[in-house]
Amino acid sequence: ARKRAPPIAAGAAWAMLEACFDSEFGGTWLRDMTLAVFAKTKSAMFVQQGSLTINAGTQYLNALETKAATLVFTDNTLHSLRFIGPPYTFGFDPKGANGGIRSPNAAKALYGRVYWMGKKDFFVYDGAIRVLPCDVLNHVFDDINTQQSAKVYAGANQNFGEIWWLYPADDDPECSNYV
């Protein structure tokens, strides 16, 4: 049986999308935005007909699948997308207005929790959004190249239970520092 992914669209995300991967039609890239209601699960994007819109934030940045729900990040908010059954099938549950993510790759799941770099803090989600304490917080956020912050990348080291963020500092055009 084919796994059906939930549909997602967020605010100005429509303008960001140029194509979506469609598993239902033989794995082709669709450019018809009337079908482009999407969800990012694992490493592919899946399309379904219908619509479901997040009316918060200005752009969709990422969706991360967890055991309990799919977490949907915008630039300003975090939502949980859950199966709720007919007639709407899926629904959004707002988790926090201050839980936005810095870049599409700035979140990582580890041991049932999701960690991400926001605009001014590091966060963890384990059912609720919490600010992650960080001794070098001011150094990182005072030093980050905000013009290149879309390049921030999160990685997980499962052997040691670590989350790392790579980020461009000062005038560097590429990731040059980590925390």
Side-chain angles (χ1 to χ4, degrees), residues 146-174:
T146 57
Q147 299 298 314
Q148 300 294 328
S149 64
K151 295 179 180 177
V152 171
Y153 185 86
N157 182 340
Q158 293 185 2
N159 293 334
F160 296 99
E162 298 174 341
I163 299 290
W164 291 39
W165 286 276
L166 308 174
Y167 65 96
D170 298 320
D171 294 327
D172 293 330
E174 302 298 330

Side-chain angles (χ1 to χ4, degrees), residues 10 22 28 32 40-41 56 78 113 116 128 142-143 151 153 155-156:
D22 187 340
T28 59
D32 181 355
K40 180 181 176 187
T41 58
L78 176 66
R113 294 182 176 101
W116 70 95
D142 288 347
D143 205 28
K151 295 179 180 177
Y153 185 86

Side-chain angles (χ1 to χ4, degrees), residues 9-17 38 53-60 74-75:
W14 294 109
M16 297 182 343
L17 284 179
F38 61 95
T53 304
I54 297 174
N55 293 317
T58 59
Q59 65 184 42
Y60 160 88
T74 72
D75 56 339

Side-chain angles (χ1 to χ4, degrees), residues 76-91:
N76 298 321
T77 62
L78 176 66
H79 289 77
S80 171
L81 181 67
R82 295 181 184 266
F83 177 78
I84 58 173
Y88 300 109
T89 311
F90 295 96

Side-chain angles (χ1 to χ4, degrees), residues 56-131:
T58 59
Q59 65 184 42
Y60 160 88
L61 289 175
N62 194 359
L64 192 61
E65 190 175 16
T66 67
K67 289 181 181 181
T70 299
L71 297 180
V72 180
F73 293 91
T74 72
D75 56 339
N76 298 321
T77 62
L78 176 66
H79 289 77
S80 171
L81 181 67
R82 295 181 184 266
F83 177 78
I84 58 173
Y88 300 109
T89 311
F90 295 96
F92 284 115
D93 181 18
K95 294 299 179 184
N98 296 324
I101 192 169
R102 183 170 281 274
S103 79
N105 295 311
K108 209 53 141 173
L110 183 66
Y111 305 135
R113 294 182 176 101
V114 176
Y115 300 86
W116 70 95
M117 180 189 280
K119 293 179 182 174
K120 296 179 183 176
D121 283 301
F122 295 100
F123 297 96
V124 60
Y125 177 80
D126 56 4
I129 297 176
R130 292 183 290 120
V131 173

